[in-house]
Amino acid sequence: MPIEIKMPALSPTMEEGTLAKWLVKEGDTVKSGDIMAEIETDKATMEFEAVDEGTIGKIMIAEGSDNVKVGTVIATLLEEGESADTAAAAPAERSGEGANAAPKEEQPADKAPNAPESTVPHKVETGARQLYDAAKHDAEVSDPAIPEGTEMVKITLREALRDAMAEEMRKDDRVFVMGEEVAEYQGAYKVTQGLLDEFGPARVIDTPITEYGFAGVGTGAAMGGLRPIVEFMTFNFAMQAIDHIINSAAKTNYMSGGQMRCPIVFRGPNGAASRVGAQHSQNYGPWYASVPGLIVIAPYDAADAKGLMKAAIRTEDPVVFLENELLYGRTFEIPALDDYVLPIGKARTMREGKDVTIVSYSIGVGLALEAAEKLAEEGIDAEVIDLRTLRPLDKAAVLKSLKKTNRLVVAEEGWATCSIASEIVAICMEEGFDDLDAPVLRVANEDVPLPYAANLEKLALLSSAKIVDTVKKIV
Amino acid sequence: MAKAPAARKTEAPQSDPAPNRAPNRERPGEPQSYRASKDELLEFYKQMLLIRRFEEKAGQLYGLGLIGGFCHLYIGQEAVAVGLQSALSDKDSVITGYRDHGHMLLCGIPPKDVMAELTGRQAGISKGKGGSMHMFSVEHKFYGGHGIVGAQVSLGTGLGFAHKYRQDGGVCLAYFGDGASNQGQVYESFNMAELWKLPVIYVIENNQYAMGTSVNRASSEDQLYRRGESFRIPGIQVDGMDVLASRGAAEEALAWVRAGKGPIILEMKTYRYRGHSMSDPAKYRSREEVQAVRDKSDPIEHCKKLLEDQGVGEAELKTIEQEIRKIVAEAADFAESAPEPEPAELYTDVLVEKY
Ligand SMILES: Cc1ncc(C[n+]2csc(CCOP(=O)(O)OP(=O)(O)O)c2C)c(N)n1
């Protein structure tokens, strides 16, 4: 049997990509390690190497094809003695299309004919996958910050963040971006894509791998009158820089009696990614949110990411801006407004309900919305609140919703101990006690470092099922 | 495909009669002792004396319980900051650690504002909310006052970055101790500063001790001016007890940095007479050691001799002494009698904006 060469995944969350280029043609012999093709996604390009030896039988997906699903057979490899004819027949027939045809425009990618039944990508069931899948939920209620009738456009969260930075950099030449791989490489997660081209190396600055050092340099530059955006490749690495974020940036205004400001944005991905294990998966929201003098923002969708990033760059206070790697590639609707800036410190009602309130933030919001849908099927009407800013926390929004539903659950992609959820519980006890018809419950990740194994990761992370179960305990 | 290794060059090198002895990269010149005019010398003397008397007074107030917490005195090291900062222009910025009173006075911050901060009063430079280790004056381009050992090195590098970004011609003078010179972020900063040719003068105030740890017990390379070598940052070792040597080094360093050649390190060999902070029992060195430095190389006595050589008489020196004592006494009176911050100040200045 010929060997089927399948569309590879460049990352655990990749679903499809572009087959940019074939470097071999039918009839070529290849041996393991030879580069056969170039595969692209919106954040990376990869050279696809042969693993086995043989002759390229049939190329089934032409170069330049977009939206090729992971796992699709893109070519066959003949082992010694096999003929191209017999080899090509089977999968090509099943595909029901000319094997070399690129997917037709009108055919939506998820029904692409090129993917035979047998090769539908096997999605590993992981917790991160659940987080990611849930994050396609949009708010049901309209955002009061968006005027009625505003045109909405689709954009990825990654692009929204980039656009926010670019817009602010155009307006204010004190704004600059620094971090590892932000310039020439276009960002480790491609969030700074295109900025170097537009703004040049004086304002888009690649740093060495020295988190402590460049966090200090950025903070000093802010003290010296500039408005730095410091990217951490992920917030896990900002542990080496937390001293400057807290001791130098957060406390200076107070310690100087209000003289010395530090308008800086520390940004980067935060929280669990997919299958990267304990050292690369942690939610630092509660850590930073416990520090007076800092603003901490953790948006869910692209519109909030853009509007809040612009606000973060403009404010005179130091901001920790927590993004989520799993969400970068997600497409959301965003208002087509010239200068879309959101207020810091204001939560948003994502879905209205009357029976129970689910409070969440960042990627947990997707799960909360998904849980709300499941609960609705069972006749439980849940309200979902997205905190958006973790410090200062919009207590009023939480208490108002509690007053309405009298029951509250906090869903957090992070540890429950000393968490934002703990904080919300305390607020409800202290200021909303009379409105409570049941104890406020926390639903969060398990109290363990995040494991690598797919099944364990899934068990450890927050899920909509866990939220549903928790809600049912009090409704 | 692996490329075949390039053929080794086998030709014999052309016989070179005299090996090139020039350094493989440019280095700053050997600094000269500064040729101060009599007036300049008088000014240096006054400044050093102001710091000395100010610190002695701070020590007294600490003993009386008027100053609390940690209080690190600069006594013995005066020639370093006076020599260096006398060479700065008003474009330049200064940043240091917690041993900061002297540097602040030299930035032109009124002594009573500094003293009132030490006593924790509303009139203090940080409204009483910073204390001895955390003082700032944006107006005087003094950027702290930092309590975390080594933090000022990265922050100062950032100030240098801002000077360069804005092309304002300024240089940042970033002071740190021999102990701080072992912090990792120092080297992270050196690397970036040289890579980006930032206008920063790194001043290592080598007063021989980091709390109770002598340089040799903490530093594998105890010639600290060489600490920039692997980053290609030149370093100069300077007699930090001699205000003219100190000023001379500043001239050389500023010329280097202002010419766009990147950062430079000045290792200022100096000595602190007092304990690390007011609560230091100072068991790690002998009384004789301290006394020997006082007797032989006190920076103020040295300057006084130079003045006498220039014909400045006993009477004039006495007048200066009286003037300085008066300034310090007034600052202390002010700091004692000024009111404490209003309780409402507790909640101000946490954030700049309202959300
Ligand atoms: C990161 C950090 N570690 C330890 C301390 C405690 N500490 C304060 S000063 C000091 C000694 C520093 O000595 P040096 O850098 O030589 O400066 P000097 O006090 O002699 O001026 C230490 C260990 C601190 N403030 N910050």
Side-chain angles (χ1 to χ4, degrees), chain B residues 84 87-88 92-93 95 156 160 171-176 190 198-204 233 249-258 262-268:
Chain B
L84 296 182
L88 296 185
D92 303 319
S93 54
I95 189 166
V171 170
C172 177
L173 203 58
Y175 291 94
F176 55 105
F190 282 0
L198 301 181
V200 184
I201 300 176
Y202 294 109
V203 183
I204 305 178
I233 302 178
E251 297 285 331
E252 200 62 54
L254 281 166
W256 177 267
V257 174
R258 290 211 210 278
I264 190 169
I265 294 170
L266 298 179
E267 180 195 355
M268 311 299 291

Side-chain angles (χ1 to χ4, degrees), chain B residues 107-119:
Chain B
C107 284
I109 302 170
K112 64 181 193 7
D113 294 10
V114 180
M115 199 66 96
E117 187 60 37
L118 299 186
T119 55

Side-chain angles (χ1 to χ4, degrees), chain A residues 173 212-213 224 244 255 315 317, chain B residues 126 165-166 185 188 352 355:
Chain A
D173 62 13
Y212 194 8
H244 279 301
M255 294 194 305
T315 183
D317 292 304
Chain B
S126 291
Y165 188 95
R166 288 200 308 239
Q185 64 175 315
E188 300 190 18
V352 179
Y355 303 93

Side-chain angles (χ1 to χ4, degrees), chain A residues 212 243, chain B residues 72 77 98-99 133 147-150 176-181 183 185 205 207-211 213 272 276:
Chain A
Y212 194 8
D243 171 40
Chain B
H72 307 85
Q77 303 180 212
Y98 41 81
R99 199 179 299 286
M133 300 190 286
I148 304 297
V149 168
F176 55 105
D178 45 280
S181 73
Q183 276 278 6
Q185 64 175 315
E205 295 199 68
N207 62 13
Q208 328 278 338
Y209 294 93
M211 294 183 70
T213 307
R272 83 171 139 70
H276 165 70

Side-chain angles (χ1 to χ4, degrees), chain A residues 240-251:
Chain A
Q240 299 195 345
I242 199 166
D243 171 40
H244 279 301
I245 300 175
I246 293 176
N247 276 315
S248 304
K251 297 177 181 173

Side-chain angles (χ1 to χ4, degrees), chain B residues 9-161:
Chain B
K9 284 196 182 149
T10 46
E11 319 96 83
Q14 290 189 342
S15 59
D16 198 347
N20 188 358
R21 294 228 179 270
N24 62 1
R25 56 179 199 266
E26 193 192 349
R27 296 195 68 88
E30 200 55 44
Q32 304 297 311
S33 180
Y34 185 68
R35 297 168 67 123
S37 69
K38 187 173 139 191
D39 283 352
E40 281 177 314
L41 204 55
L42 270 171
E43 190 55 33
F44 294 162
Y45 181 73
K46 283 183 194 170
Q47 289 177 344
M48 288 198 286
L49 205 59
L50 173 65
I51 296 174
R52 173 88 40 112
R53 297 290 171 257
F54 183 96
E55 295 290 62
E56 286 165 354
K57 181 58 85 180
Q60 278 172 15
L61 297 186
Y62 194 94
L64 293 171
L66 283 157
I67 296 174
F70 289 128
C71 185
H72 307 85
L73 304 180
Y74 198 58
I75 296 175
Q77 303 180 212
E78 298 91 343
V80 175
V82 170
L84 296 182
Q85 283 176 234
S86 64
L88 296 185
S89 82
D90 55 11
K91 299 177 289 197
D92 303 319
S93 54
V94 172
I95 189 166
T96 185
Y98 41 81
R99 199 179 299 286
D100 54 0
H101 313 159
H103 308 80
M104 298 183 72
L105 297 175
L106 297 174
C107 284
I109 302 170
K112 64 181 193 7
D113 294 10
V114 180
M115 199 66 96
E117 187 60 37
L118 299 186
T119 55
R121 307 306 164 108
Q122 174 78 39
I125 187 89
S126 291
K127 297 190 201 162
K129 297 200 280 193
S132 166
M133 300 190 286
H134 316 114
M135 292 192 271
F136 311 83
S137 173
V138 177
E139 184 193 343
H140 295 93
K141 293 206 166 59
F142 177 76
Y143 291 89
H146 294 273
I148 304 297
V149 168
Q152 73 271 28
V153 181
S154 298
L155 296 170
T157 307
L159 290 165
F161 179 93

